[in-house]
């Protein structure tokens, strides 16, 4: 038998997308999605002000679209059509423009997502050290916890603590399989996650850099100076008026 | 190593705040620079011969001098996207000494007559972005940023801009589109950003480390700085070492240090009993090198001559417990996931390669298919809009070339496995990442 | 911005020295030199190249990497090789990559046979495939809109469609979502891509990913023919190519003429061809029988009945609709003036003009047509400043909307807008002002005063400043809807800005009718004969209505116009038509007024059937040629008119369409020398010809405009000032086109947020608009930008049209 003959049959076609949308027709009963008219698009005042503040930072206000989407995602829990509509209204863009932008970036969710984000790096350096196993363990540990979303992520820029994960933005590692359970427990208890494994507490590897008494980056006025920053931690949509 | 420049006592408590930074002499370089004519600063940077630390290794002084002179809307953008797998050096610098970067940016804008600067930081670096935001606020309050900086007449507005997760936004023109609020698709070059960049204005794009070195160059003088390192690769370099080494992390080395010294000396080498099977000298985009290459000097030109590159200075070490195929799969999955999709060879080439490996894994490939795999890589290289496609094709091409025997054996083994379990439905398309 | 100068340089392509315009793209220079470089994503109409498909890679001496010829401007001395082995390799590679995911379902693909992907694969591919990986497979085709189907498997992500949406139409509705090989063309949250120009993406798509719903599977490229024509559904007069099979129009494509349309079409022009082949089309003459029913009759009977108009000598009047050709208007004018000894003929038929609006004085009409004052369509793109006054290009002349956007986007044109209703172009404008409904004349007088340095409203003063400081080349795009009253001020403004005789500057009118300009030049005006010759003045349209309602006019000749639907003063027109003893109509479909009142109806030709000439608003004489045979018993308009002429005792000496044209040219001095051959497919602008000087000069210098009227008093609560708009979709052709049913215009009452809130009316809710016992039902459309105290009502629509109203103030209520 030739090599070709021994090969199991190859399916010529296969549905090939990780994303919904490919197979969707439009809903012909909907109106065209043009730039939302402020008169008919209510936007929560706080969100509007925050977006306008971002727009003011740039010579061209359109630059604020990513910061504005971060704000809207935080406010609504995900980049829902309504959230996008609101950003579009404030920024005088079409919702389609923002959908196009949002869908390009990994951190925006165009489908409802769990409140807590656990990104597990599964890229090369971490995977050499067992990231794939940790990812499985993390998924397993989060089973039954609907508010925890576990995602395999590309390199998060912390291979020195591989295998590692970013839990609601907090980098932790190196992780062993038991840590998966602890992460879930910490999240559910509302505690800082794996405090002793947080990247912010880690000394530099280079001997010249080390200094006696290093105890990690102080909380850098996170709570005050940058409290309004778009991506510092999850916010319960209910808590934001 | 003579003298650490960027990492010297970087763990000093509170260095991320202005008082400690100033106590250590911070913003001294800025004061010195503001007393110099702008051209003299460019001249110092040129003399330092510092090459960009972000990947392409282009001389910073040259790039800065391409910017048109005179008053116009020009921009400085610090590339803090740091998404090249294996790279995490900018993170440590920004997080522990943000003012080093800010000071470097102020000096650079003064030298080039720029009044608007941005730090484009990857969205995942939330802590680091918060730290930068706080540092910018401190610097503004202290008069280092804003109007008429320290009475020099120079003014600068600095904005920290957070991305949202896309490797391609590290590519400078993709970054610019993203900063303009668009999808981060790379642009056609020419025009190069120095001529037409952000908002159509001339734009200087530099890496965090490159800009962070500017205060040092001013303090030392360019000529003095150029004495450090190797010819053509001056200065020290922050490197990130990860993978199968005992002491992974960031190190500051003098360019030209032996690679073995780095991997074994600084990082302790692979676990006892393991040997280096291959290593990426400059992030996952660089063609792999082997154990026998460990004595190469770690500098731009030597690595290029050896058929690879220094890239972002990220060394990924793979020991002999891992298969070449597994490494290749990880690399390919990453680039297929991160291809922006704008140009055909990269979009389809990375995607095809990804499916190809899935076919190998499912036992449906033959060793002869490796020729097709290799030729697909050559079809990508040089034909794309930016070099992301090449960034997959080069390491993959190098792995196929250097581990051909092992890969053939792997293919045969996969075929055996598949033939042994004919009833099992094989999954052809592994989802690329979980989105 | 003035047009750039062109410099010719020399370069070498494949060893041959060729010439090219400096800065033009290498791919175009090569094409001009007969060297074909394949490409997909390049389309100069879409603006800057994107360099996405990489199909056009070539070798350029001195540059190590292959370069995309679509984005490389040619330089003097450049040496290019398109045949190098590595270029071939690259081309092979790109084709192979493109087919990695392409389904190759050519046998069942609409594009098959006219598909760039097929052609390029054949010409530049390796001819065999190494891909055995599974391809993407998706449900298809899917609706992208009622007009467009999308087949995502076939898409090669070339960016053309999304660039059109984003950079040409600027509607930003069509997007790429996701990233990498998961990228797909879509819209926001499943909304359809519905926009006035959406159909262009079908033509742009280089594969069969975007197909026309009405055209899908109707024909194969080898059993169709293309026939050049002109769309006469609006004054833009875009050049089109009809796709014809078995004497049926199956599709309309753009026939690019940069001087007219830039290669785009609106969806009305692209899809309303369906009205040619619907059951509603009148294809035989109709005659009202004793029982009052319109019934098909033989031509002789119909002609005899219509010929009876001879008995109404001195008491007959005619209206000429915008779709008439110059020849038809000219022949009808002669019938009225010579045969019927009447002076009552008009063609100024704007739904927005007030009933009772005066006739434009002959001197004014001549002054406005003066060659020195005519701007061209291309001037809109290159002027320093464009002022849009009294027209909404998107509705009134859609293709100009795209041209104005292009000027602003690409050439930095300063756009100024002065209208009563918010404009789709407002976001692109440097300055927009709103004046009260129907107060265009007052506003222009105000502006004129400001330009003269006198007292003026702050808005007019600011506009005057921007006009004065806005560079030499100023183009004023103005709408006929402004009314006759506004014209003295308009001319005076043009005079103060020194527009006459200045290259690249001038006035450009948007007439209400598609061929409004040509019809006037052919003499269908109450006070002007062919070529604006002097005649004893007769009644204007509004005066005809009153006279007929009073019994002073007893016969009406309605050439492709239904005044009940189209014209203001609907009530008067209904009485007029009811009272008239004879109503002769030419119509393609039975609209309300014709159905109720016509005595005789002649089937009208469609724009794909007519032979004749029309005149573009910028003076370009264009030619209609019949692309298909007239259906059934339809006869040519000129032929019917010649028969009627004979019945009223006039011999027109017309036996063919060509003769009709020659009679016209003889009668209009400034058309002298025009021939059908010269007009050809691109048209001839008569103001640029030597004969142009034959247009009689206006005797007076610009007349003094009337003093600005006092501002309108705010009407009290629940009562609002009403303005009128005519949507792009308000047309009988749209009403009967099956695929356009979703967009048939209805009464959308545009309200300001303030008034809506005060009246408790919600967006989309039903409302009633009332006035003196007349009541219209509609739906509320709350629109930021509508000034408080005003509202806008749709006219020209089949039901609840605003032309039923007689007064400017209306009462609105939830309903
Ligand atoms: C796909 C791709 C990803 C890149 N990612 C980064 C990055 O994350 N950080 C960075 O500084 N440079 C990155 N670069 C290099 C930049 O394009 C650019 O060369 C660099 O920012 C210039 O700064 P430098 O001259 O200071 O090195 C990337 C390049 C490519 C092609
Ligand atoms: S649908 Fe057609 S025009 Fe649009 S990107 Fe795909 S191939 Fe290009
Ligand atoms: S035509 Fe040049 S890249 Fe597509």
């Amino acid at each position: 038998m030739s090599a070709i003959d021994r090969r199991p049959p190859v399916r010529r076609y296969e549905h090939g997308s990780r994303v919904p949308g490919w197979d969707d027709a439009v809903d012909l009963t909907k109106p065209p999605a043009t730039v939302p008219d402020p008169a008919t698009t209510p936007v929560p005042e706080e969100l509007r002000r925050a977006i306008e503040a971002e727009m003011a930072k740039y010579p061209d206000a359109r630059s604020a679209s990513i910061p504005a989407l971060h704000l809207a995602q935080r406010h609504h829990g995900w980049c829902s059509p309504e959230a996008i509509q609101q950003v579009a209204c404030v920024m005088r863009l079409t919702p389609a423009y923002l959908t196009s932008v949002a869908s390009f970036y990994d951190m925006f969710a165009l489908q409802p997502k769990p409140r807590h984000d656990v990104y597990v790096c599964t890229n090369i350096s971490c995977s050499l050290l067992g990231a794939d196993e940790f990812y499985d363990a993390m998924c397993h540990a989060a089973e039954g916890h609907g508010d925890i979303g576990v995602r395999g992520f590309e390199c998060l820029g912390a291979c020195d603590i591989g295998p590692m994960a970013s839990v609601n933005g907090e980098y932790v590692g190196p992780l062993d399989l038991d840590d998966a359970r602890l992460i879930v427990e910490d999240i559910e208890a509302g505690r800082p996650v794996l405090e002793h494994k947080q990247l912010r507490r880690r000394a530099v590897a280079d001997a010249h850099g080390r200094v006696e008494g290093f105890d990690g980056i102080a909380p850098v006025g996170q709570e005050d100076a940058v409290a309004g920053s778009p991506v510092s931690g999850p916010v319960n949509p209910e808590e934001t008026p | 190593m003579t003298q650490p420049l960027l990492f010297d006592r970087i763990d000093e408590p509170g260095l991320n705040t202005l008082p400690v930074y100033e106590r250590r002499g911070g913003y001294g370089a800025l004061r010195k620079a503001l007393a110099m004519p702008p051209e003299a600063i460019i001249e110092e940077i040129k003399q330092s011969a510092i090459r960009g630390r972000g990947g392409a290794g282009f001389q910073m002084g040259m790039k800065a001098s391409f910017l048109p002179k005179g008053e116009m809307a020009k921009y400085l953008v610090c590339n803090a996207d740091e998404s090249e797998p294996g790279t995490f050096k900018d993170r440590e610098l920004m997080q522990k000494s943000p003012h080093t970067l800010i000071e470097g940016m102020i000096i650079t804008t003064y030298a080039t007559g720029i009044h608007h600067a941005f730090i484009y930081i990857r969205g995942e670096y939330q802590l680091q972005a918060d730290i930068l935001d706080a540092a910018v606020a401190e610097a503004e309050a202290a008069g280092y940023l804003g109007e008429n900086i320290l009475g020099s007449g120079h003014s600068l507005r600095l904005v920290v801009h957070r991305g949202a997760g896309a490797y391609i936004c590290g590519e400078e023109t993709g970054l610019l589109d993203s900063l303009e609020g668009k999808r981060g698709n790379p642009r056609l070059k020419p025009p190069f950003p120095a001529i037409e960049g952000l908002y159509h204005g001339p734009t200087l794009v530099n890496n965090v480390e490159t800009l962070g070195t500017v205060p040092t160059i001013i303090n030392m003088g360019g000529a003095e700085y150029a004495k450090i390192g190797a010819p053509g690769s001056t200065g020290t370099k922050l490197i990130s070492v990860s993978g199968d080494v005992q002491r992974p992390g960031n190190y500051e080395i003098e360019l030209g240090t032996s690679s073995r010294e780095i991997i074994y000396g600084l990082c302790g080498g692979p676990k006892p009993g393991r040997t280096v099977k291959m290593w990426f000298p400059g992030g996952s985009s660089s063609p792999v090198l082997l154990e026998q290459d460990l004595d190469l000097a770690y500098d731009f030109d030597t690595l290029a001559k050896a058929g690879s590159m220094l890239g972002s200075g990220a060394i990924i070490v793979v020991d002999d417990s891992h298969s070449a195929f597994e490494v290749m799969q990880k690399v390919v999955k990453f680039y297929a996931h991160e291809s922006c999709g704008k140009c055909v060879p990269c979009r389809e080439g990375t995607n095809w390669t990804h499916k190809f490996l899935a076919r190998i894994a499912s036992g449906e490939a033959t060793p002869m298919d490796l020729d097709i795999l290799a030729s697909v890589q050559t079809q990508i290289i040089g034909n794309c809009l930016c070099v992301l496609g090449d960034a997959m094709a080069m390491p993959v091409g190098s792995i196929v070339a250097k581990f051909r025997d092992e890969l053939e054996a792997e293919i045969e083994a996969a075929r055996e496995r598949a033939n042994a379990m004919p009833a099992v439905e094989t999954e052809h398309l592994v989802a690329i990442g979980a989105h | 911005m003035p047009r750039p100068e062109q410099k010719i340089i020399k370069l070498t392509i494949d060893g041959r020295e060729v010439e090219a315009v400096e800065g033009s793209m290498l791919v175009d220079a090569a094409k001009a030199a007969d060297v074909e470089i394949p490409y997909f994503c390049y389309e100069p109409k879409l603006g800057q190249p994107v360099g996405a498909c990489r199909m056009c890679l070539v070798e350029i001496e001195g540059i190590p990497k292959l370069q995309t010829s679509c984005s490389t401007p040619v330089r003097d001395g450049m040496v290019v090789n398109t045949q190098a082995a590595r270029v071939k390799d690259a081309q092979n590679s790109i084709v192979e990559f493109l087919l990695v995911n392409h389904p190759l379902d050519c046998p069942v693909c609409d594009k098959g046979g006219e598909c760039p992907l097929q052609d390029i694969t054949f010409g530049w591919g390796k001819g065999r495939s190494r891909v055995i990986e599974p391809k993407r497979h998706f449900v298809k085709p899917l609706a992208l809109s009622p007009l467009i189907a999308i087949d995502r498997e076939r898409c090669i992500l070339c960016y053309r469609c999304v660039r059109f949406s984003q950079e040409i139409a600027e509607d930003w509705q069509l997007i790429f979502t996701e990233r990498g090989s998961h990228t797909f063309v879509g819209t926001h949250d499943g909304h359809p891509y519905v926009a006035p120009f959406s159909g262009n993406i079908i033509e742009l798509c280089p594969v069969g990913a975007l197909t026309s719903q009405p055209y899908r599977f109707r024909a194969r490229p080898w059993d169709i023919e293309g026939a050049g024509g002109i769309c006469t559904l609006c004054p833009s007069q875009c050049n089109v190519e009809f796709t014809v099979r078995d004497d049926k129009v199956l599709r309309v494509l753009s026939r690019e003429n940069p001087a007219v349309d830039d290669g785009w079409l609106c969806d009305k022009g692209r899809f309303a061809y369906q009205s040619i082949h619907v059951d509603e089309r009148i294809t035989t003459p109709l005659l009202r029988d004793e029982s009052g029913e319109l019934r098909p009759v033989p031509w002789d009977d119909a002609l005899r009945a219509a010929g009876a108009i001879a008995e109404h000598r001195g008491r007959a009047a005619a209206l000429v609709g915008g779709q008439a050709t110059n020849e038809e208007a000219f022949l009808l004018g002669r019938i009225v003036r010579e045969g019927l000894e009447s002076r009552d003929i008009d063609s100024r038929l704007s739904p927005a003009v007030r009933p009772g609006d005066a006739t434009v004085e002959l001197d004014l009409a001549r002054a406005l047509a003066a060659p020195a004052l005519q701007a061209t369509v291309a001037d809109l793109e290159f002027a320093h400043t464009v002022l849009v006054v009294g027209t909404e290009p998107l509705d009134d002349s859609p293709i100009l909307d795209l041209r104005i956007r292009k000027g602003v986007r690409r050439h930095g044109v300063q756009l100024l807008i002065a209208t009563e209703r918010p404009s789709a172009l407002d976001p692109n404008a440097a300055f927009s002002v709103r004046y009260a409904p129907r107060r265009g004349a007052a506003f222009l007088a105000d502006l004129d005063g400001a330009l003269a340095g006198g007292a003026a409203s702050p808005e007019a003063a600011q506009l005057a400043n921007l006009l004065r400081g806005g560079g030499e080349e100023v183009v004023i795009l103005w709408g006929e809807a402004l009314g006759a009253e506004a014209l003295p001020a308009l001319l005076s403004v043009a005079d103060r800005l020194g527009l006459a005789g200045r290259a690249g500057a001038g006035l450009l009118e948007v007439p209400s009718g598609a061929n409004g300009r040509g019809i006037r030049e052919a003499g269908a005006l109450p006070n002007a004969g062919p070529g604006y010759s002097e005649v004893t003045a007769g009644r204007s349209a509004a005066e005809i209505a009153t006279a007929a309602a009073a019994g002073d006019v007893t016969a009406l000749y309605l050439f492709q116009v239904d005044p009940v639907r189209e014209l203001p003063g609907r009530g008067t027109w209904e009485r007029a038509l009811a009272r008239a003893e004879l109503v002769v109509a030419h119509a393609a479909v039975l609209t309300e007024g014709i159905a109720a009142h016509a005595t005789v109806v002649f089937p009208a030709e469609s724009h794909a059937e007519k032979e004749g000439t029309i005149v573009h608003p910028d003076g370009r004489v264009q030619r209609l040629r019949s692309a298909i045979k007239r259906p059934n018993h339809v006869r040519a308009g000129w032929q019917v008119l010649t028969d009627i002429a004979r019945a009223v005792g006039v011999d027109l000496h017309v036996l063919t369409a060509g003769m009709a044209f020659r009679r016209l040219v003889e009668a209009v001095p400034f058309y002298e020398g025009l021939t059908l051959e010269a007009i050809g497919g691109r048209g001839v602008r008569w103001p640029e010809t030597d004969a142009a000087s034959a247009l009689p000069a206006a005797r007076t210098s610009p007349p003094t405009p009337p003093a600005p009227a006092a501002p309108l008093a705010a009407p009290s609560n629940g009562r609002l000032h009403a303005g009128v708009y005519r949507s792009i979709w308000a047309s009988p052709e749209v009403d009967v086109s099956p695929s356009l049913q979703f967009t048939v215009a209805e009464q959308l009452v545009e309200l300001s947020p303030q008034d809506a809130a005060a009246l408790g009316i919600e967006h989309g809710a039903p409302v009633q608009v009332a006035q003196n016992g007349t009541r219209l039902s509609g739906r509320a459309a709350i629109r930021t930008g509508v000034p408080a105290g005003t509202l806008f009502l749709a006219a020209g629509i089949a039901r609840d049209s605003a032309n039923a109203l007689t007064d400017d103030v209306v009462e609105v209520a939830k309903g």
Side-chain angles (χ1 to χ4, degrees), chain C residues 32-65:
Chain C
D34 269 345
V35 175
E36 195 175 355
I37 300 173
Y39 60 80
F40 292 105
C41 67
Y42 180 60
E43 170 51 77
K45 287 195 289 186
L46 293 172
Q48 292 295 104
V50 287
C53 74
R54 319 300 291 173
M55 193 66 227
C56 65
L57 290 169
V58 295
E59 188 178 86
I60 300 176
E61 232 176 69
I63 308 180
K65 272 193 177 188

